[in-house]
Amino acid sequence: MSAVPAPEAPRRAPGILLVVLMIAMAAGPTFNFALSALSATIIDEFSISESQYGLLISVIFVSAGVTSTFLGVLADRLDPRFQMLMIVGGTMLAFLVSASVHAYWVLVVAALIAGPSQAFSNPLTNRIISARVPAAQRSPWMGWKQSGVQVGMLVSGLAFPIIAAWSGWQGAALIGAAALVPAGILSWTVISKLRMPKPDQTQPITLSIPIPKGSKRLPLAVWLFAIVSFLNAVGVQGVNGFASLFAVQAMGYSITIAGLMLGVIGVFGILSRIGWARVTGKMGRPSMLIIVMSLGGILGLLLLVAAERTQIDALMWVGVVFHAALPLAANVVINSGIVDAAPKSRIGVATGLVSAGMYLGFALGPVIVGAIVEATGAFTMGWVAVGATYIGCFIVALFLVRAQRQSASSA
């Protein structure tokens, strides 16, 4: 069933709305980025092992993944302002809880809180783009809004190590919570003025509307996107979660410079997501781009392995750039594919499904790397292990190519 566009939909969406979409994407994972930027500090302050640190990151994404599909369904029905409150307010609460008591179990509780708050991000923003952004703007907007995640990574990588240098984790967490207050106020104000289509205009699945049986089925491409999202996420978060610690432990950098590495990932992540979104808009079939990104992820990890073995700094920085420019940008390609492949009335459900795969992949990556680093005392085998998931992603993308071709020929 195709969606009926809202009659009051604008010919061009306002720029302030894009800012709010980027805030929605950046606010949710800010707690994760704080943990990543301060990985060495947290391990030292809380006297925990690398695997315990990896478990913290994984708890966040297990929590997000378990709730993602359910929240994706709710995203098609709940007031967008409430969803934005869940994103910003949930992350603020996670920061405040983590700063309340200096104990590892409190960090675990905060991680559980942080998960669902970011699970709303993609379903909410995809729903707004589908309903309120004209088709001509969607590809570049998808790139910009997905780059909001990297904006959060950039700011976190630069700011949190400096703050923690004089106030530790507690001070960094409190300032992180305070910084989200103006972002929440701006978002609430803008979304309050946003006229979303009424339920009968988007034809949601309800008991009052007859739905043909076939319309309840999600296309094969959506399920393949979910698998790709999972496999890519294992590699992406395996690197994101341990990049800073790798720079400190394996390459001998200070915590501040290691935090700068996250900033570099953020900058190149922003540029790559915007660029790949434009390419996706022109090509129309993201599967080939996913193949390229998977190969780029493999190359980036090989460079990190070489950097640890040879202690050549340049290899580490080039490897990080490959990571940021290619597999890290896959999410924007996947989300663009979802918006095109899923029925408009089930954008939230489809996005929730794919997001569940992404978050569960995010959860697995840090566990793998953390356990291997603790067991071996080095990062090499950890990078090799998560690199294998990029090979799997490459293989599934080949099936996605075929599925999209069959869909195009039958259309």
Side-chain angles (χ1 to χ4, degrees):
M1 178 186 298
S2 61
V4 179
E8 69 272 20
R11 293 184 178 180
R12 188 169 184 83
I16 190 64
L17 177 58
L18 179 56
V19 173
V20 169
L21 295 178
M22 293 179 69
I23 288 174
M25 297 301 298
T30 301
F31 185 79
N32 320 1
F33 296 148
L35 291 178
S36 297
L38 301 178
S39 54
T41 298
I42 291 170
I43 288 174
D44 182 55
E45 276 195 23
F46 290 85
S47 300
I48 60 176
S49 65
E50 288 85 355
S51 61
Q52 286 177 302
Y53 163 75
L55 181 62
L56 276 178
I57 304 293
S58 296
V59 166
I60 294 174
F61 293 117
V62 167
S63 177
V66 168
T67 58
S68 185
T69 302
F70 172 68
L71 294 180
V73 174
L74 292 182
D76 288 328
R77 294 160 171 79
L78 293 180
D79 186 329
R81 292 174 300 179
F82 174 77
Q83 295 179 57
M84 194 69 193
L85 180 63
M86 290 293 294
I87 293 170
V88 176
T91 306
M92 288 177 60
L93 180 60
F95 272 124
L96 293 174
V97 168
S98 71
S100 62
V101 178
H102 193 78
Y104 177 71
W105 69 267
V106 175
L107 289 181
V108 175
V109 172
L112 286 169
I113 296 171
S117 67
Q118 62 190 277
F120 266 120
S121 297
N122 269 317
L124 170 63
T125 53
N126 282 358
R127 176 191 173 195
I128 291 176
I129 285 180
S130 177
R132 301 304 305 168
V133 179
Q137 286 181 278
R138 284 180 187 171
S139 290
W141 272 51
M142 189 66 74
W144 276 104
K145 77 99 172 173
Q146 291 297 137
S147 71
V149 177
Q150 272 58 59
V151 171
M153 179 180 286
L154 170 61
V155 174
S156 299
L158 297 177
F160 281 116
I162 296 174
I163 298 170
W166 58 268
S167 63
W169 168 258
Q170 185 179 48
L174 292 174
I175 292 177
L180 290 169
V181 173
I185 294 173
L186 173 64
S187 301
W188 181 277
T189 302
V190 172
I191 294 178
S192 293
K193 298 179 181 179
L194 188 65
R195 293 181 297 171
M196 293 293 289
K198 297 177 181 179
D200 60 342
Q201 292 174 313
T202 54
Q203 298 180 356
I205 299 175
T206 66
L207 295 177
S208 61
I209 299 177
I211 304 293
K213 290 183 179 180
S215 67
K216 291 185 179 181
R217 298 177 182 174
L218 292 173
L220 174 62
V222 172
W223 294 97
L224 292 175
F225 276 128
I227 298 173
V228 164
S229 183
F230 168 76
L231 293 171
N232 181 78
V234 173
V236 164
Q237 197 58 39
V239 176
N240 282 352
F242 280 84
S244 177
L245 193 64
F246 174 76
V248 173
Q249 292 189 353
M251 304 301 291
Y253 282 83
S254 68
I255 293 175
T256 302
I257 300 300
L260 178 63
M261 176 185 288
L262 291 186
V264 171
I265 293 175
V267 169
F268 280 93
I270 293 168
L271 297 175
S272 65
R273 289 193 170 198
I274 294 170
W276 286 117
R278 293 183 181 275
V279 173
T280 304
K282 293 178 181 179
M283 290 186 62
R285 294 182 184 178
S287 49
M288 293 303 299
L289 298 182
I290 293 172
I291 289 174
V292 173
M293 291 171 174
S294 300
L295 294 175
I298 295 169
L299 179 57
L301 287 168
L302 289 175
L303 288 169
L304 292 182
V305 170
E308 184 174 21
R309 295 288 179 145
T310 64
Q311 291 296 295
I312 298 176
D313 292 349
L315 293 176
M316 179 188 73
W317 291 104
V318 175
V320 163
V321 169
F322 266 92
H323 164 73
L326 290 159
L328 190 61
N331 197 29
V332 68
V333 177
I334 292 170
N335 274 277
S336 295
I338 297 166
V339 171
D340 289 337
K344 298 302 179 185
S345 61
R346 307 204 73 192
I347 288 289
V349 176
T351 303
L353 175 65
V354 175
S355 294
M358 178 186 70
Y359 288 130
L360 293 176
F362 282 168
L364 184 59
V367 168
I368 292 174
V369 177
I372 293 176
V373 170
E374 184 176 354
T376 65
F379 286 81
T380 295
M381 293 310 299
W383 297 148
V384 170
V386 296
T389 64
Y390 286 138
I391 297 175
C393 189
F394 173 86
I395 294 171
V396 176
L398 294 178
F399 287 97
L400 185 57
V401 170
R402 182 177 180 182
Q404 290 186 314
R405 285 176 179 171
Q406 290 177 342
S407 177
S409 62
S410 62

